[in-house]
């Protein structure tokens, strides 16, 4: 940021880019002043097909994304994945960096949420395309995959418990919903290792309850401030 860049772009090492991928991200950002975060369309690593993240995250836009030449310049969305993540410097100056409370996974979704709370917009750039291997080094072996699942589930609990647009009681309710969902998945394919990891997550999350409360309170102040300004 001290170099005076107008944009900061995060790009995973397990990606291949296409011509004009970066120019398209910047074009979207420059054409819409309040768009502060822009993501590229993700394709399978070895083919031209949309990958599973794209088809899962944006089921209503798939036909448009398959024909970028006729697609809109940008598509408003709630969040984009950090595999390819362009951020305007002004956003970073206003809301800070990715929250280290996550360590891995959900940090970009949280960042988009915080940006939206500050009045910024998030967009997908249909003509910016990357090929994403997905998983990268997290798929190296069973031990690494288990750590990935642990980190992902832990971050999901943190994200659910720090939603600033809900009350503390509401977030506690979402904690139990998330726990019930994970428990149901565990029962479908029971493993003592997975059960142990789910228990470890609960200890980890509640031992960090002070940090989670501070994060929720900090982001909630922004929410209340914006509501006051809009009323």
């Amino acid at each position: 940021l001290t170099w005076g860049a107008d944009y900061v772009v995060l790009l995973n090492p397990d990606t291949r880019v296409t011509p004009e991928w970066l120019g398209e991200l910047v074009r979207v950002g420059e054409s819409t002043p309040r768009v502060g975060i822009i993501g590229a369309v993700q394709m399978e690593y070895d083919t031209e097909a949309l990958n599973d993240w794209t088809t899962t995250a944006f089921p209503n836009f798939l036909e448009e994304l398959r024909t970028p030449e006729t697609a809109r310049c940008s598509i408003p969305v709630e969040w984009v994945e950090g595999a390819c993540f362009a951020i305007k410097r002004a956003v970073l100056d206003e809301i800070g960096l990715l929250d280290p409370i996550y360590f891995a996974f959900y940090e970009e979704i949280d960042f988009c949420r915080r940006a939206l709370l500050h009045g910024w917009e998030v967009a997908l750039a249909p003509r910016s395309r990357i090929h994403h291997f997905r998983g990268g080094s997290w798929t190296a072996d069973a031990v690494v995959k288990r750590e990935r699942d642990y980190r992902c589930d832990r971050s999901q609990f943190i994200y659910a418990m720090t939603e600033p647009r809900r009350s503390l009681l509401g977030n506690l309710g979402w904690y139990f919903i998330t726990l019930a969902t994970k428990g149901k998945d565990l029962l479908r394919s029971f493993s003592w290792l997975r059960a142990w990891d789910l228990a470890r997550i609960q200890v980890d999350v509640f031992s960090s309850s002070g940090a989670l409360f501070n994060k929720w309170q900090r982001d909630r102040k922004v929410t209340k401030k914006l509501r006051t300004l809009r009323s």
Side-chain angles (χ1 to χ4, degrees):
L1 294 180
T2 58
W3 296 347
D6 293 325
Y7 290 81
V8 172
V9 180
L10 307 182
L11 182 68
N12 272 23
D14 60 345
T15 58
R16 291 191 300 110
V17 299
T18 62
E20 299 302 318
W21 73 278
L22 183 56
E24 286 295 332
L25 294 177
V26 174
R27 185 164 77 94
V28 169
E30 293 300 290
S31 65
T32 314
R34 290 310 300 172
V35 168
I37 302 172
I38 312 103
V41 176
Q42 295 187 32
M43 322 290 287
E44 292 182 353
Y45 192 78
D46 294 318
T47 77
E48 296 302 313
L50 301 176
N51 72 5
D52 57 356
W53 173 75
T54 303
T55 56
T56 300
F58 308 117
N60 297 328
F61 305 131
L62 296 183
E63 290 306 313
E64 187 172 9
L65 295 180
R66 289 189 178 106
T67 54
E69 62 278 1
T70 60
R72 288 170 282 176
C73 175
S74 65
I75 299 174
V77 294
E78 287 289 312
W79 64 282
V80 289
E81 195 179 47
C84 184
F85 201 64
I87 312 165
K88 285 182 178 175
R89 178 198 173 116
V91 176
L92 293 165
D93 289 341
E94 186 173 341
I95 74 173
L97 305 176
L98 300 175
D99 197 320
I101 200 170
Y102 288 95
F103 180 79
F105 304 107
Y106 280 80
E107 69 274 16
E108 77 271 52
I109 308 177
D110 175 81
F111 189 85
C112 290
R113 181 170 70 183
R114 287 160 50 207
L116 291 170
L117 292 176
H118 280 80
W120 291 97
E121 297 172 9
V122 181
L124 189 67
R127 297 182 184 88
S128 177
R129 327 284 277 192
I130 66 163
H131 297 266
H132 186 196
F133 183 76
R134 289 193 64 75
S137 60
W138 287 110
T139 60
D141 55 44
V143 174
V144 174
K145 184 179 182 302
R146 179 186 169 197
E147 179 67 13
R148 176 200 181 280
D149 292 342
Y150 174 85
R151 293 291 179 182
C152 188
D153 287 349
R154 172 186 180 274
S155 291
Q156 187 175 352
F157 275 102
I158 291 173
Y159 184 77
M161 294 175 70
T162 56
E163 168 57 71
R165 291 163 292 192
R166 290 195 297 257
S167 65
L168 284 175
L169 187 60
N171 282 339
L172 184 61
W174 273 97
Y175 161 78
F176 285 112
I177 290 172
T178 305
L179 182 60
T181 302
K182 298 299 180 184
K184 188 175 181 180
D185 291 341
L186 176 62
L187 290 175
R188 284 200 193 102
S189 180
F190 188 81
S191 159
W192 283 111
L193 286 177
R194 289 181 61 203
W196 171 247
D197 287 343
L198 185 58
R200 280 202 304 141
I201 289 171
Q202 310 320 304
V203 174
D204 189 1
V205 168
F206 279 97
S207 66
S208 305
S209 57
L212 297 184
F213 174 77
N214 289 337
K215 173 177 174 52
W216 170 82
Q217 189 176 52
R218 183 173 62 250
D219 292 343
R220 190 165 177 82
K221 286 180 180 178
V222 175
T223 305
K224 289 183 176 180
K225 182 179 178 181
L226 284 179
R227 285 175 179 171
T228 302
L229 291 175
R230 290 168 181 167
S231 61

